[in-house]
Amino acid sequence: MTEPIRITDELLRLALTPPDDGADFGLDVSIREALDRTEQRRYWWTPLVRWFGPLGPSRQVRVVGVLVALLGLLLAIAATVGTRPPPLLADGSMFHGGPARTGEMAGPGPVAGAEIVWSVSLAGPLRNSMPALVGGRLYVADGRGNVAVFDAATGAAGWTRSLPKPATSPAIAAGVLVVSAGDGVYGLDAATGTVRWHLPAAAPVESAPAIDHATVYVGLPDGSLTAVDLQTGTVRWRTSIGGAITRAPSVADGLVFAGGEGGHVAAIRAVDGTFAWRAEIGPGNVGTTAVRDGVVYATSGLDAEAPHVLFAISESSGAELWRFSAPGDRELYVGAIAERLVYAVGLDGHVYALRDGTVVWAFDARAPIGSVASLTGGLLYISASSGQVFALDALSGAKRWTVQLEGDAGPGIPADGRLYLGTDVGVLVALAEPAP
Amino acid sequence: MAHLAAGTAGELDRASELVLRAAGGDREAYDALIEPRLGRLFRMARAIVRDETLARDVVQDACVTAWRELASVRDTSRFDAWLSQIVVNRCRTELRRVGRRSVREIPMDQDSGAGSSGVAVAARPAPGPSLGDRVVEAEAIRRAFLRLDPDDRALIVMHHVEDRPVAEIASVLRVPVGTVKWRLSRARAALERALEAQR
């Protein structure tokens, strides 16, 4: 007969403490030799031992240090943000308003009506060429290669510069005016018109440049989309999309979108020029792309006897979301993009307001519309080849006012209660509401 | 049992000074710091690993590790807890290594005085205790102890053999006091089960 053992501390000590407890164990030779061979580890504070001692700063000092570092970081971020120049791309600083080419601008433009405030004659025509407006100065590039600057308030002329023809819609940022011309792309000093850099091309460059984050993006006739340093003109990357690029690229969300001859559309990473995706949207040329809210809009079949279609494409994947063809199958362009409406304009003389590919309203200008539109304050400004300029209610398509100009009117910039635009007979015009 | 960690203010000041000097590379200070602690560390290691040679290796390695890493001691008053932690961790590592290397055996201690039957030493005859009974019981506990995992061994040695308070063990193991209590309870239960298994 046995009974369980009761475990007590005394029994545990008896069991686990050998009888020779207190055995001698000192720093014998082997330990000393091992220590002699061992170097003490160096820590990040080792060089600071003079101030903090061998164990480094105390916990309190470390906490304060981390807090100071965080505060410094926050201040640095705040300082960076605070000193960052205002967005390089104010509305009107480039073709179709900005790098995304939505056509939506800050405005305001004329609301109740319009009349000519001033007009000046240019040395060449403005065919679908849009002025650039920055700091109260209008920069114009005409079909004969002339680049000129005018005071937006009075129309008074400033400097002029002749480049190989033709020149297209300029873009301006950080004091550099970028113009595509007959033998390449130019970076001009916006204050003086002097050439700061020149990117040569073997054929006329028809693609209007886009500027985003101090980089110029422009399509070249050899089919390459090219990224250029705004200040120096140094090429950062060059990527061929497969066909001559004759329309303006657009930029949004770190991607550059461009279409070319052959129906190619590509999304290219702005950082390194690699492809995000490529798509084929049919024969013919592709118009200026525009992007908003994750959707890229592009029209196909330009300059060709081919179906003329407006495509809505996923910005992230390149997948088609929807498409639209006008009844007469004439050429279409992306006129402007609002929050949920896309305005297509066409050579059939119509403006189509589309929601997810479905026509919400249509307006007949009774003359081909070959220019992109401008959108601000709920008004859509349309220029037709008849020389008529329309202001339409963006929601309903109702006509608010119209003005007749001489020649084929180009796209306008609504700003300061005015609408600035040019015509193909070489006139630059400022429209404003009539005085009461 | 004397504990340097719970020493007088003067001892703590002296130890802190030695830690600072040793962390700055002063070997003499390190020798003076470590030597008085070696015996106790060795006994703790030997109680945990139940092997004198292994315990010597553990303490020697711990001495070298402590010298190398001394500047990482953030609080000089925690030096003893930190040093014990190194020894305990080293014991656990060695026991796991040994456990992986061989099938666990339960050797018979030469001084046990028990019979050849393992079953006979697992319980004591009724009724009353005697010196012989206590020796038999101690041997049964030693054999049961060898069945415990390294963590349970370390806890039982620190608390029941070295008589360290729970708070000090928590400081050594860097776990909450409540966790130490729970682990101790678990370790004792494991020991009881191991004893029961011998019956």
Side-chain angles (χ1 to χ4, degrees):
Chain A
M1 182 70 184
T2 59
E3 56 187 54
I5 297 171
R6 197 167 67 85
I7 301 172
T8 64
D9 287 357
E10 183 191 1
L11 188 56
L12 281 169
R13 273 196 289 274
L14 176 66
L16 302 178
T17 307
D20 60 341
D21 196 7
D24 182 36
F25 191 96
L27 279 174
D28 60 20
V29 175
S30 63
I31 297 181
R32 289 181 192 278
E33 287 178 351
L35 289 172
D36 288 342
R37 290 193 302 269
T38 305
E39 284 193 12
Q40 288 186 305
R41 189 187 296 277
R42 292 178 63 81
Y43 292 86
W44 64 264
W45 63 82
T46 304
L48 308 175
V49 72
R50 181 175 168 188
W51 295 281
F52 297 115
L55 304 184
S58 66
R59 183 183 301 274
Q60 290 86 345
V61 170
R62 286 180 183 214
V63 169
V64 170
V66 169
L67 290 176
V68 168
L70 283 174
L71 184 62
L73 184 63
L74 288 173
L75 287 174
I77 292 171
T80 303
V81 172
T83 57
R84 184 179 293 170
L88 292 174
L89 310 169
D91 278 349
S93 64
M94 68 188 71
F95 178 68
H96 222 182
R101 315 294 193 189
T102 63
E104 189 171 33
M105 304 186 199
V111 176
E115 64 179 12
I116 297 174
V117 179
W118 57 254
S119 67
V120 294
S121 293
L122 303 172
L126 292 184
R127 290 196 179 90
N128 295 329
S129 179
M130 193 170 187
L133 175 66
V134 167
R137 290 156 70 90
L138 279 165
Y139 300 86
V140 201
D142 69 33
R144 292 183 183 158
N146 302 296
V147 184
V149 61
F150 298 91
D151 183 274
T154 63
W159 56 259
T160 60
R161 164 71 53 183
S162 287
L163 302 175
K165 67 177 182 180
T168 61
S169 306
I172 182 171
V176 181
L177 185 73
V178 183
V179 185
S180 297
D183 67 344
V185 183
Y186 287 83
L188 306 179
D189 187 304
T192 63
T194 54
V195 176
R196 293 175 61 162
W197 52 262
H198 173 221
L199 177 71
V205 180
E206 299 175 67
S207 167
I211 306 175
D212 189 45
H213 289 86
T215 302
V216 178
Y217 302 96
V218 64
L220 298 181
D222 65 1
S224 65
L225 182 66
T226 303
V228 176
D229 183 277
L230 173 65
Q231 295 295 333
T232 66
T234 306
V235 174
R236 291 183 170 159
W237 50 257
R238 195 186 289 255
T239 301
S240 177
I241 70 164
I245 305 171
T246 59
R247 261 68 174 195
S250 55
V251 187
D253 304 324
L255 295 173
V256 188
F257 306 93
E261 288 182 351
H264 308 288
V265 180
I268 293 168
R269 296 182 184 87
V271 66
D272 58 7
T274 56
F275 281 98
W277 50 260
R278 302 171 79 167
E280 307 294 331
I281 59 172
N285 204 348
V286 175
T288 293
T289 55
V291 57
R292 178 166 181 161
D293 300 331
V295 182
V296 181
Y297 302 92
T299 54
S300 70
L302 305 188
D303 313 324
E305 290 297 324
H308 304 102
V309 183
L310 167 64
F311 286 89
I313 302 168
S314 165
E315 177 192 306
S316 57
S317 67
E320 178 185 331
L321 301 175
W322 51 261
R323 63 173 70 186
F324 169 76
S325 296
D329 193 28
R330 300 290 305 275
E331 285 193 359
L332 284 173
Y333 308 95
V334 181
I337 314 173
E339 191 171 349
R340 291 195 62 197
L341 287 175
V342 180
Y343 303 96
V345 296
L347 295 186
D348 65 357
H350 281 79
V351 180
Y352 301 96
L354 307 171
R355 178 170 292 152
D356 298 330
T358 303
V359 176
V360 177
W361 57 256
F363 173 81
D364 186 2
R366 302 183 185 279
I369 304 172
S371 298
V372 293
S374 302
L375 180 67
T376 188
L379 289 180
L380 193 65
Y381 298 100
I382 305 290
S383 301
S385 60
S386 60
Q388 281 191 303
V389 179
F390 300 92
L392 307 180
D393 185 294
L395 285 178
S396 65
K399 184 172 72 179
R400 291 287 185 84
W401 55 257
T402 181
V403 166
Q404 180 69 54
L405 301 177
E406 184 184 355
D408 187 346
I413 301 176
D416 305 323
R418 295 180 173 184
L419 186 68
Y420 303 99
L421 71 165
T423 69
D424 69 347
V425 295
V427 176
L428 180 65
V429 175
L431 301 177
E433 288 187 25
Chain B
M1 189 170 286
H3 290 288
L4 287 167
T8 65
E11 286 171 338
L12 290 174
D13 288 346
R14 168 74 177 150
S16 293
E17 181 198 336
L18 290 174
V19 170
L20 286 172
R21 283 172 49 199
D26 185 339
R27 262 295 305 283
E28 284 186 12
Y30 185 70
D31 291 353
L33 179 69
I34 203 80
E35 191 147 25
R37 290 161 167 82
L38 288 178
R40 176 175 174 236
L41 293 174
F42 170 66
R43 287 191 293 276
M44 179 175 72
R46 188 178 55 182
I48 295 172
V49 300
R50 310 299 302 161
D51 184 299
E52 184 157 334
T53 304
L54 194 55
R56 286 186 182 278
D57 290 345
V58 162
V59 174
Q60 178 169 332
D61 287 351
C63 285
V64 174
T65 301
W67 165 249
R68 190 175 61 237
E69 310 287 346
L70 194 53
S72 69
V73 177
R74 307 303 317 136
D75 180 357
T76 55
S77 67
R78 282 203 75 254
F79 174 74
D80 280 293
W82 178 74
L83 189 58
S84 296
Q85 185 183 21
I86 293 174
V87 172
V88 169
N89 286 342
R90 191 75 190 158
C91 287
R92 292 194 289 206
T93 303
E94 286 301 320
L95 284 172
R96 291 200 171 96
R97 188 173 59 80
V98 171
R100 281 197 303 271
R101 200 172 53 198
S102 61
V103 175
R104 181 176 297 172
E105 295 178 358
I106 303 176
M108 295 290 290
D109 280 9
Q110 291 176 348
D111 62 346
S112 67
S116 59
S117 167
V119 176
V121 298
R124 64 181 171 82
S130 66
L131 183 60
D133 290 342
R134 287 169 56 77
V135 169
V136 170
E137 287 175 351
E139 173 55 22
I141 285 182
R142 270 195 290 274
R143 293 162 63 89
F145 184 80
L146 290 172
R147 291 180 175 273
L148 300 185
D149 69 30
D151 290 344
D152 289 345
R153 286 194 197 189
L155 276 167
I156 286 176
V157 167
M158 281 192 284
H159 189 62
H160 295 292
V161 178
E162 295 204 298
D163 206 20
R164 295 195 192 212
V166 170
E168 187 183 331
I169 297 172
S171 176
V172 169
L173 301 180
R174 307 206 79 141
V175 296
V177 168
T179 303
V180 172
K181 289 179 179 174
W182 173 75
R183 287 189 188 172
L184 265 172
S185 169
R186 192 188 62 179
R188 283 184 65 110
L191 185 62
E192 285 168 0
R193 282 197 302 275
L195 269 174
E196 187 67 24
Q198 296 179 53
R199 299 190 64 184

